Amino acid sequence: MSSEDLTIAIIFLLQTTVGVLGNFSLLYCYIFFCFTGCRSRFTYLIVRHLTIANSMAILSKGIPHTMAAFGWKDFLSDFGCKFLMYVHRVGRGVSIGSRCLLSMLQAITISPGNSRWAELKVKAPKCAGFSLVLCWVLHVLVNVIVPIYVAGKWGNKTTPNYKDDGYCSSVQPDKTVELLHAALLAFPDVASLGLMLWASGSLVSILHRHKQQVQHLHRNNLSPRPSPETRATQTILVLASTFVTFFSPSPPSFKFL
């Protein structure tokens, strides 16, 4: 193995390890809060599902990529490739949907009492569980077509319509079919990202209006630190931009691997 391949393999291994440890640590903290009698919030439920979905996406993608980078190419059977790619797509989709749901419920929760969202402030947290179940069901059903176009490399090395992607292979369908299926798979992710950006913008707008309302209090504050509203706005913008950057769908393509 060349030094370049070894470096890539180590990077994949570190990313997978850090991602899994981070998600499982967060999941442990929220489970610990529940068993210690801490009052459960809708955010706890969403974060638990988010960490599970993230772990699914990381493990199903990181482990085979790491093994392939270390030189193990043909270690997955046809069923293994189909299963891992399906798990990855479902985990990735639920991760985006859970983050979107969290942003929307946060925007509704902190909205003023006289806003158009006032009626939803009481109902929204109670709908978190149902919304999460719906998110899982949606991505489980939408991604059932993924295994059809993914296969193990065993027996497909001489087939012209299969493309070698390292540890698995993917079929190259007709261009029209490719675009239709890509649109079907991308729609939930694009819709979730759009709603999350809208919710993040609403949060920033609410914080800005609140800052203007309490501006006279900030004038008497001699601390050089930014106001709580400013710090919260900066955090929201950083998190939203980072999430969208890393989870934005690829251009219309039926390349799963």
Side-chain angles (χ1 to χ4, degrees), residues 68-129:
F70 274 111
W72 298 330
K73 299 295 184 180
D74 301 333
F75 58 90
L76 282 175
S77 64
D78 186 71
F79 174 78
C81 281
K82 293 178 184 294
F83 177 75
L84 283 181
M85 188 49 56
Y86 180 72
V87 170
H88 172 73
R89 295 288 306 193
V90 172
R92 180 182 184 276
V94 173
S95 177
I96 297 175
S98 300
R99 183 65 182 84
C100 167
L101 178 63
L102 181 61
S103 297
M104 293 181 64
L105 290 180
Q106 287 176 333
I108 293 173
T109 301
I110 71 168
S111 61
N114 58 352
S115 69
R116 55 185 175 180
W117 305 112
E119 297 180 359
L120 297 176
K121 295 183 71 170
V122 178
K123 299 179 182 179
K126 299 178 181 179
C127 296

Short mmCIF file of all heavy atoms in Angstrom, two decimals, residues 68-129:
data_model
loop_
_atom_site.label_atom_id
_atom_site.label_comp_id
_atom_site.label_asym_id
_atom_site.label_seq_id
_atom_site.Cartn_x
_atom_site.Cartn_y
_atom_site.Cartn_z
N ALA A 68 -11.97 -0.48 2.22
CA ALA A 68 -11.53 -0.39 0.82
C ALA A 68 -10.24 0.41 0.71
O ALA A 68 -9.37 0.08 -0.10
CB ALA A 68 -12.64 0.24 -0.01
N ALA A 69 -10.12 1.47 1.53
CA ALA A 69 -8.91 2.29 1.49
C ALA A 69 -7.70 1.52 1.98
O ALA A 69 -6.56 1.76 1.54
CB ALA A 69 -9.11 3.55 2.33
N PHE A 70 -7.90 0.55 2.90
CA PHE A 70 -6.80 -0.29 3.38
C PHE A 70 -6.48 -1.44 2.43
O PHE A 70 -5.59 -2.24 2.71
CB PHE A 70 -7.14 -0.86 4.76
CG PHE A 70 -6.79 0.06 5.89
CD1 PHE A 70 -7.78 0.67 6.65
CD2 PHE A 70 -5.46 0.32 6.20
CE1 PHE A 70 -7.46 1.51 7.70
CE2 PHE A 70 -5.12 1.16 7.25
CZ PHE A 70 -6.12 1.77 8.01
N GLY A 71 -7.19 -1.51 1.30
CA GLY A 71 -6.87 -2.50 0.29
C GLY A 71 -7.83 -3.67 0.18
O GLY A 71 -7.65 -4.53 -0.67
N TRP A 72 -8.85 -3.72 1.05
CA TRP A 72 -9.84 -4.80 0.97
C TRP A 72 -10.95 -4.36 0.03
O TRP A 72 -11.80 -3.57 0.40
CB TRP A 72 -10.40 -5.12 2.35
CG TRP A 72 -9.36 -5.60 3.32
CD1 TRP A 72 -8.23 -6.29 3.01
CD2 TRP A 72 -9.35 -5.40 4.74
NE1 TRP A 72 -7.51 -6.55 4.15
CE2 TRP A 72 -8.16 -6.03 5.23
CE3 TRP A 72 -10.21 -4.79 5.64
CZ2 TRP A 72 -7.84 -6.02 6.57
CZ3 TRP A 72 -9.87 -4.79 6.98
CH2 TRP A 72 -8.70 -5.40 7.43
N LYS A 73 -10.95 -4.88 -1.16
CA LYS A 73 -11.88 -4.43 -2.19
C LYS A 73 -13.13 -5.29 -2.27
O LYS A 73 -14.24 -4.80 -2.16
CB LYS A 73 -11.17 -4.41 -3.56
CG LYS A 73 -9.97 -3.47 -3.62
CD LYS A 73 -10.37 -2.02 -3.47
CE LYS A 73 -9.17 -1.09 -3.62
NZ LYS A 73 -9.53 0.33 -3.47
N ASP A 74 -12.96 -6.58 -2.45
CA ASP A 74 -14.10 -7.47 -2.70
C ASP A 74 -14.53 -8.20 -1.43
O ASP A 74 -14.58 -9.42 -1.38
CB ASP A 74 -13.74 -8.49 -3.78
CG ASP A 74 -13.35 -7.81 -5.09
OD1 ASP A 74 -13.82 -6.68 -5.31
OD2 ASP A 74 -12.58 -8.41 -5.85
N PHE A 75 -14.84 -7.45 -0.39
CA PHE A 75 -15.21 -8.06 0.87
C PHE A 75 -16.72 -8.09 1.11
O PHE A 75 -17.19 -8.68 2.08
CB PHE A 75 -14.53 -7.33 2.04
CG PHE A 75 -14.86 -5.86 2.11
CD1 PHE A 75 -15.94 -5.41 2.85
CD2 PHE A 75 -14.07 -4.93 1.43
CE1 PHE A 75 -16.24 -4.06 2.91
CE2 PHE A 75 -14.37 -3.58 1.50
CZ PHE A 75 -15.46 -3.15 2.24
N LEU A 76 -17.50 -7.44 0.24
CA LEU A 76 -18.94 -7.39 0.41
C LEU A 76 -19.64 -8.22 -0.67
O LEU A 76 -19.28 -8.15 -1.84
CB LEU A 76 -19.46 -5.94 0.34
CG LEU A 76 -19.26 -5.09 1.59
CD1 LEU A 76 -19.71 -3.66 1.32
CD2 LEU A 76 -20.02 -5.65 2.78
N SER A 77 -20.62 -8.97 -0.25
CA SER A 77 -21.44 -9.73 -1.20
C SER A 77 -22.47 -8.80 -1.83
O SER A 77 -22.57 -7.61 -1.48
CB SER A 77 -22.14 -10.88 -0.49
OG SER A 77 -23.05 -10.38 0.49
N ASP A 78 -23.25 -9.34 -2.73
CA ASP A 78 -24.31 -8.55 -3.36
C ASP A 78 -25.31 -8.05 -2.32
O ASP A 78 -25.69 -6.88 -2.33
CB ASP A 78 -25.02 -9.42 -4.41
CG ASP A 78 -26.04 -8.63 -5.21
OD1 ASP A 78 -25.64 -7.79 -6.03
OD2 ASP A 78 -27.25 -8.84 -4.99
N PHE A 79 -25.72 -8.93 -1.41
CA PHE A 79 -26.65 -8.52 -0.36
C PHE A 79 -26.03 -7.48 0.56
O PHE A 79 -26.70 -6.53 0.98
CB PHE A 79 -27.08 -9.74 0.47
CG PHE A 79 -27.93 -9.39 1.65
CD1 PHE A 79 -29.28 -9.10 1.50
CD2 PHE A 79 -27.37 -9.34 2.93
CE1 PHE A 79 -30.05 -8.75 2.61
CE2 PHE A 79 -28.13 -9.01 4.03
CZ PHE A 79 -29.48 -8.71 3.87
N GLY A 80 -24.74 -7.64 0.87
CA GLY A 80 -24.08 -6.69 1.76
C GLY A 80 -24.05 -5.30 1.17
O GLY A 80 -24.28 -4.30 1.88
N CYS A 81 -23.75 -5.18 -0.12
CA CYS A 81 -23.73 -3.87 -0.77
C CYS A 81 -25.12 -3.24 -0.77
O CYS A 81 -25.27 -2.05 -0.46
CB CYS A 81 -23.22 -4.01 -2.20
SG CYS A 81 -21.43 -4.17 -2.34
N LYS A 82 -26.12 -4.02 -1.13
CA LYS A 82 -27.49 -3.49 -1.16
C LYS A 82 -27.92 -3.03 0.23
O LYS A 82 -28.51 -1.96 0.40
CB LYS A 82 -28.45 -4.57 -1.67
CG LYS A 82 -28.26 -4.95 -3.14
CD LYS A 82 -29.22 -6.04 -3.54
CE LYS A 82 -28.99 -6.51 -4.98
NZ LYS A 82 -29.30 -5.46 -5.96
N PHE A 83 -27.63 -3.85 1.25
CA PHE A 83 -28.07 -3.54 2.61
C PHE A 83 -27.38 -2.30 3.14
O PHE A 83 -28.04 -1.40 3.69
CB PHE A 83 -27.77 -4.74 3.52
CG PHE A 83 -28.12 -4.49 4.96
CD1 PHE A 83 -29.44 -4.50 5.39
CD2 PHE A 83 -27.11 -4.24 5.88
CE1 PHE A 83 -29.75 -4.25 6.72
CE2 PHE A 83 -27.42 -4.01 7.21
CZ PHE A 83 -28.74 -4.01 7.63
N LEU A 84 -26.05 -2.21 2.98
CA LEU A 84 -25.32 -1.07 3.51
C LEU A 84 -25.72 0.23 2.84
O LEU A 84 -25.88 1.26 3.49
CB LEU A 84 -23.81 -1.29 3.36
CG LEU A 84 -23.16 -2.25 4.36
CD1 LEU A 84 -21.67 -2.34 4.09
CD2 LEU A 84 -23.40 -1.79 5.79
N MET A 85 -25.91 0.18 1.52
CA MET A 85 -26.28 1.41 0.83
C MET A 85 -27.69 1.85 1.20
O MET A 85 -27.98 3.03 1.34
CB MET A 85 -26.16 1.23 -0.69
CG MET A 85 -26.33 2.52 -1.48
SD MET A 85 -25.33 3.90 -0.85
CE MET A 85 -23.70 3.18 -0.91
N TYR A 86 -28.59 0.87 1.39
CA TYR A 86 -29.95 1.20 1.80
C TYR A 86 -29.96 1.82 3.20
O TYR A 86 -30.62 2.83 3.44
CB TYR A 86 -30.81 -0.06 1.79
CG TYR A 86 -32.24 0.14 2.20
CD1 TYR A 86 -33.14 0.81 1.38
CD2 TYR A 86 -32.70 -0.32 3.43
CE1 TYR A 86 -34.46 1.00 1.75
CE2 TYR A 86 -34.02 -0.13 3.82
CZ TYR A 86 -34.88 0.53 2.99
OH TYR A 86 -36.19 0.73 3.37
N VAL A 87 -29.19 1.23 4.11
CA VAL A 87 -29.10 1.77 5.47
C VAL A 87 -28.52 3.18 5.45
O VAL A 87 -28.99 4.08 6.17
CB VAL A 87 -28.24 0.85 6.36
CG1 VAL A 87 -27.92 1.50 7.70
CG2 VAL A 87 -28.96 -0.48 6.60
N HIS A 88 -27.51 3.38 4.61
CA HIS A 88 -26.89 4.71 4.53
C HIS A 88 -27.88 5.76 4.03
O HIS A 88 -27.97 6.86 4.59
CB HIS A 88 -25.68 4.67 3.60
CG HIS A 88 -25.11 6.01 3.30
ND1 HIS A 88 -24.38 6.75 4.22
CD2 HIS A 88 -25.17 6.79 2.18
CE1 HIS A 88 -24.03 7.90 3.70
NE2 HIS A 88 -24.49 7.95 2.45
N ARG A 89 -28.62 5.43 2.98
CA ARG A 89 -29.57 6.39 2.43
C ARG A 89 -30.68 6.71 3.41
O ARG A 89 -31.08 7.86 3.57
CB ARG A 89 -30.16 5.84 1.13
CG ARG A 89 -29.18 5.65 0.00
CD ARG A 89 -28.71 6.92 -0.62
NE ARG A 89 -29.80 7.77 -1.07
CZ ARG A 89 -29.65 8.82 -1.86
NH1 ARG A 89 -28.45 9.15 -2.29
NH2 ARG A 89 -30.67 9.55 -2.23
N VAL A 90 -31.18 5.68 4.12
CA VAL A 90 -32.24 5.91 5.11
C VAL A 90 -31.70 6.75 6.26
O VAL A 90 -32.34 7.73 6.69
CB VAL A 90 -32.80 4.58 5.63
CG1 VAL A 90 -33.76 4.82 6.80
CG2 VAL A 90 -33.53 3.84 4.51
N GLY A 91 -30.51 6.41 6.77
CA GLY A 91 -29.93 7.17 7.87
C GLY A 91 -29.65 8.62 7.49
O GLY A 91 -29.93 9.54 8.27
N ARG A 92 -29.14 8.82 6.29
CA ARG A 92 -28.85 10.18 5.83
C ARG A 92 -30.14 10.99 5.70
O ARG A 92 -30.20 12.15 6.12
CB ARG A 92 -28.14 10.12 4.48
CG ARG A 92 -27.77 11.48 3.89
CD ARG A 92 -27.11 11.30 2.53
NE ARG A 92 -26.68 12.57 1.98
CZ ARG A 92 -27.45 13.39 1.29
NH1 ARG A 92 -28.73 13.06 1.10
NH2 ARG A 92 -26.99 14.53 0.81
N GLY A 93 -31.17 10.38 5.13
CA GLY A 93 -32.43 11.09 4.97
C GLY A 93 -33.09 11.44 6.29
O GLY A 93 -33.59 12.55 6.48
N VAL A 94 -33.09 10.48 7.22
CA VAL A 94 -33.70 10.73 8.53
C VAL A 94 -32.90 11.79 9.29
O VAL A 94 -33.47 12.60 10.03
CB VAL A 94 -33.80 9.43 9.34
CG1 VAL A 94 -34.27 9.70 10.76
CG2 VAL A 94 -34.76 8.46 8.65
N SER A 95 -31.59 11.79 9.12
CA SER A 95 -30.76 12.81 9.76
C SER A 95 -31.15 14.21 9.30
O SER A 95 -31.31 15.13 10.11
CB SER A 95 -29.28 12.54 9.46
OG SER A 95 -28.46 13.55 10.01
N ILE A 96 -31.30 14.38 8.00
CA ILE A 96 -31.70 15.68 7.47
C ILE A 96 -33.11 16.04 7.92
O ILE A 96 -33.37 17.18 8.34
CB ILE A 96 -31.61 15.68 5.93
CG1 ILE A 96 -30.17 15.45 5.47
CG2 ILE A 96 -32.14 16.99 5.35
CD1 ILE A 96 -30.02 15.31 3.98
N GLY A 97 -34.03 15.06 7.88
CA GLY A 97 -35.40 15.33 8.29
C GLY A 97 -35.51 15.67 9.77
O GLY A 97 -36.28 16.55 10.16
N SER A 98 -34.75 14.98 10.62
CA SER A 98 -34.78 15.25 12.06
C SER A 98 -34.24 16.64 12.37
O SER A 98 -34.78 17.36 13.21
CB SER A 98 -33.96 14.20 12.81
OG SER A 98 -34.47 12.91 12.59
N ARG A 99 -33.17 17.01 11.69
CA ARG A 99 -32.60 18.36 11.90
C ARG A 99 -33.59 19.43 11.45
O ARG A 99 -33.72 20.47 12.10
CB ARG A 99 -31.29 18.49 11.12
CG ARG A 99 -30.58 19.82 11.32
CD ARG A 99 -30.12 19.99 12.73
NE ARG A 99 -29.48 21.28 12.95
CZ ARG A 99 -30.11 22.41 13.21
NH1 ARG A 99 -31.44 22.41 13.33
NH2 ARG A 99 -29.45 23.53 13.40
N CYS A 100 -34.28 19.17 10.36
CA CYS A 100 -35.30 20.10 9.87
C CYS A 100 -36.43 20.23 10.90
O CYS A 100 -36.87 21.33 11.22
CB CYS A 100 -35.84 19.62 8.53
SG CYS A 100 -37.34 20.43 7.97
N LEU A 101 -36.90 19.09 11.42
CA LEU A 101 -37.98 19.10 12.40
C LEU A 101 -37.56 19.85 13.67
O LEU A 101 -38.35 20.62 14.23
CB LEU A 101 -38.37 17.67 12.74
CG LEU A 101 -39.46 17.48 13.80
CD1 LEU A 101 -40.78 18.09 13.33
CD2 LEU A 101 -39.65 15.99 14.11
N LEU A 102 -36.33 19.64 14.10
CA LEU A 102 -35.84 20.33 15.30
C LEU A 102 -35.83 21.84 15.10
O LEU A 102 -36.26 22.60 15.98
CB LEU A 102 -34.43 19.83 15.62
CG LEU A 102 -33.76 20.43 16.86
CD1 LEU A 102 -34.56 20.11 18.11
CD2 LEU A 102 -32.32 19.91 16.99
N SER A 103 -35.36 22.30 13.95
CA SER A 103 -35.32 23.74 13.67
C SER A 103 -36.73 24.34 13.63
O SER A 103 -36.97 25.42 14.18
CB SER A 103 -34.61 24.01 12.35
OG SER A 103 -33.26 23.59 12.40
N MET A 104 -37.66 23.64 13.00
CA MET A 104 -39.02 24.15 12.88
C MET A 104 -39.70 24.23 14.25
O MET A 104 -40.36 25.23 14.57
CB MET A 104 -39.83 23.26 11.94
CG MET A 104 -39.37 23.31 10.49
SD MET A 104 -40.37 22.28 9.40
CE MET A 104 -41.96 23.11 9.54
N LEU A 105 -39.54 23.19 15.08
CA LEU A 105 -40.16 23.22 16.40
C LEU A 105 -39.54 24.27 17.29
O LEU A 105 -40.23 24.90 18.11
CB LEU A 105 -40.05 21.83 17.04
CG LEU A 105 -40.92 20.74 16.41
CD1 LEU A 105 -40.71 19.41 17.13
CD2 LEU A 105 -42.39 21.12 16.46
N GLN A 106 -38.25 24.50 17.16
CA GLN A 106 -37.60 25.56 17.94
C GLN A 106 -38.11 26.93 17.53
O GLN A 106 -38.34 27.80 18.38
CB GLN A 106 -36.08 25.49 17.76
CG GLN A 106 -35.43 24.33 18.49
CD GLN A 106 -33.95 24.22 18.21
OE1 GLN A 106 -33.47 24.62 17.14
NE2 GLN A 106 -33.20 23.66 19.14
N ALA A 107 -38.29 27.13 16.21
CA ALA A 107 -38.82 28.41 15.73
C ALA A 107 -40.24 28.64 16.23
O ALA A 107 -40.61 29.75 16.63
CB ALA A 107 -38.78 28.45 14.21
N ILE A 108 -41.05 27.59 16.25
CA ILE A 108 -42.42 27.72 16.73
C ILE A 108 -42.45 27.97 18.24
O ILE A 108 -43.22 28.78 18.74
CB ILE A 108 -43.23 26.45 16.39
CG1 ILE A 108 -43.41 26.33 14.88
CG2 ILE A 108 -44.60 26.46 17.07
CD1 ILE A 108 -44.04 25.03 14.43
N THR A 109 -41.56 27.30 18.97
CA THR A 109 -41.55 27.40 20.44
C THR A 109 -41.18 28.79 20.92
O THR A 109 -41.77 29.30 21.88
CB THR A 109 -40.58 26.36 21.03
OG1 THR A 109 -40.98 25.05 20.63
CG2 THR A 109 -40.57 26.43 22.55
N ILE A 110 -40.19 29.44 20.29
CA ILE A 110 -39.76 30.75 20.76
C ILE A 110 -40.48 31.90 20.07
O ILE A 110 -40.18 33.06 20.33
CB ILE A 110 -38.24 30.93 20.58
CG1 ILE A 110 -37.88 31.09 19.09
CG2 ILE A 110 -37.47 29.79 21.20
CD1 ILE A 110 -36.46 31.56 18.87
N SER A 111 -41.44 31.59 19.22
CA SER A 111 -42.19 32.65 18.54
C SER A 111 -43.03 33.42 19.57
O SER A 111 -43.48 32.85 20.57
CB SER A 111 -43.08 32.06 17.45
OG SER A 111 -44.01 31.16 18.02
N PRO A 112 -43.25 34.72 19.36
CA PRO A 112 -44.05 35.52 20.30
C PRO A 112 -45.47 34.99 20.43
O PRO A 112 -46.00 34.32 19.53
CB PRO A 112 -44.03 36.92 19.67
CG PRO A 112 -42.85 36.92 18.75
CD PRO A 112 -42.72 35.52 18.25
N GLY A 113 -46.09 35.31 21.56
CA GLY A 113 -47.45 34.83 21.82
C GLY A 113 -48.48 35.40 20.88
O GLY A 113 -49.56 34.81 20.70
N ASN A 114 -48.19 36.54 20.27
CA ASN A 114 -49.15 37.17 19.37
C ASN A 114 -48.87 36.88 17.90
O ASN A 114 -49.46 37.49 17.01
CB ASN A 114 -49.16 38.69 19.58
CG ASN A 114 -47.78 39.32 19.36
OD1 ASN A 114 -46.80 38.60 19.18
ND2 ASN A 114 -47.72 40.64 19.39
N SER A 115 -47.98 35.92 17.64
CA SER A 115 -47.64 35.60 16.25
C SER A 115 -48.64 34.59 15.70
O SER A 115 -49.47 34.04 16.40
CB SER A 115 -46.21 35.04 16.17
OG SER A 115 -46.15 33.77 16.78
N ARG A 116 -48.51 34.33 14.41
CA ARG A 116 -49.41 33.39 13.75
C ARG A 116 -49.14 31.95 14.16
O ARG A 116 -49.93 31.05 13.88
CB ARG A 116 -49.28 33.52 12.24
CG ARG A 116 -47.87 33.35 11.73
CD ARG A 116 -47.79 33.62 10.24
NE ARG A 116 -46.41 33.58 9.78
CZ ARG A 116 -46.05 33.78 8.50
NH1 ARG A 116 -46.99 34.03 7.61
NH2 ARG A 116 -44.79 33.73 8.16
N TRP A 117 -47.99 31.73 14.83
CA TRP A 117 -47.63 30.38 15.27
C TRP A 117 -48.05 30.13 16.72
O TRP A 117 -47.73 29.08 17.26
CB TRP A 117 -46.12 30.16 15.16
CG TRP A 117 -45.58 30.42 13.81
CD1 TRP A 117 -44.74 31.42 13.43
CD2 TRP A 117 -45.82 29.66 12.62
NE1 TRP A 117 -44.45 31.35 12.11
CE2 TRP A 117 -45.10 30.28 11.57
CE3 TRP A 117 -46.59 28.52 12.34
CZ2 TRP A 117 -45.13 29.79 10.27
CZ3 TRP A 117 -46.62 28.04 11.05
CH2 TRP A 117 -45.89 28.67 10.03
N ALA A 118 -48.74 31.10 17.33
CA ALA A 118 -49.08 30.98 18.75
C ALA A 118 -49.92 29.73 19.02
O ALA A 118 -49.73 29.05 20.04
CB ALA A 118 -49.81 32.22 19.22
N GLU A 119 -50.84 29.40 18.13
CA GLU A 119 -51.71 28.25 18.34
C GLU A 119 -50.94 26.93 18.27
O GLU A 119 -51.36 25.92 18.84
CB GLU A 119 -52.84 28.24 17.31
CG GLU A 119 -53.77 29.45 17.42
CD GLU A 119 -54.88 29.40 16.38
OE1 GLU A 119 -54.89 28.43 15.59
OE2 GLU A 119 -55.72 30.32 16.36
N LEU A 120 -49.82 26.94 17.57
CA LEU A 120 -49.05 25.71 17.41
C LEU A 120 -48.05 25.49 18.53
O LEU A 120 -47.45 24.40 18.63
CB LEU A 120 -48.29 25.73 16.08
CG LEU A 120 -49.15 25.77 14.80
CD1 LEU A 120 -48.25 25.90 13.59
CD2 LEU A 120 -50.00 24.52 14.69
N LYS A 121 -47.83 26.49 19.39
CA LYS A 121 -46.80 26.38 20.42
C LYS A 121 -47.09 25.24 21.39
O LYS A 121 -46.17 24.59 21.90
CB LYS A 121 -46.66 27.70 21.18
CG LYS A 121 -46.15 28.84 20.32
CD LYS A 121 -45.95 30.11 21.11
CE LYS A 121 -44.78 30.01 22.05
NZ LYS A 121 -44.42 31.29 22.66
N VAL A 122 -48.34 24.98 21.67
CA VAL A 122 -48.71 23.90 22.59
C VAL A 122 -48.79 22.57 21.85
O VAL A 122 -48.39 21.52 22.37
CB VAL A 122 -50.06 24.21 23.27
CG1 VAL A 122 -50.46 23.07 24.19
CG2 VAL A 122 -49.96 25.52 24.05
N LYS A 123 -49.27 22.59 20.61
CA LYS A 123 -49.48 21.35 19.86
C LYS A 123 -48.18 20.80 19.26
O LYS A 123 -48.02 19.59 19.14
CB LYS A 123 -50.49 21.59 18.73
CG LYS A 123 -51.86 22.04 19.22
CD LYS A 123 -52.78 22.28 18.03
CE LYS A 123 -54.15 22.76 18.49
NZ LYS A 123 -55.05 23.03 17.34
N ALA A 124 -47.28 21.68 18.86
CA ALA A 124 -46.09 21.26 18.13
C ALA A 124 -45.23 20.24 18.88
O ALA A 124 -44.87 19.19 18.31
CB ALA A 124 -45.25 22.48 17.75
N PRO A 125 -44.88 20.47 20.16
CA PRO A 125 -44.04 19.47 20.85
C PRO A 125 -44.71 18.10 20.94
O PRO A 125 -44.02 17.07 20.93
CB PRO A 125 -43.85 20.09 22.24
CG PRO A 125 -44.03 21.56 22.04
CD PRO A 125 -45.09 21.67 20.98
N LYS A 126 -46.05 18.08 21.04
CA LYS A 126 -46.75 16.81 21.14
C LYS A 126 -46.74 16.03 19.82
O LYS A 126 -46.95 14.81 19.82
CB LYS A 126 -48.20 17.05 21.57
CG LYS A 126 -48.32 17.72 22.94
CD LYS A 126 -49.77 17.99 23.29
CE LYS A 126 -49.89 18.68 24.64
NZ LYS A 126 -51.31 18.96 24.99
N CYS A 127 -46.50 16.74 18.73
CA CYS A 127 -46.47 16.09 17.41
C CYS A 127 -45.08 15.61 17.02
O CYS A 127 -44.90 15.05 15.92
CB CYS A 127 -46.97 17.06 16.35
SG CYS A 127 -48.69 17.58 16.56
N ALA A 128 -44.08 15.84 17.89
CA ALA A 128 -42.71 15.49 17.55
C ALA A 128 -42.56 13.99 17.29
O ALA A 128 -41.93 13.57 16.31
CB ALA A 128 -41.75 15.94 18.64
N GLY A 129 -43.14 13.17 18.17
CA GLY A 129 -43.02 11.72 18.01
C GLY A 129 -43.64 11.23 16.72
O GLY A 129 -43.03 10.43 15.98
#
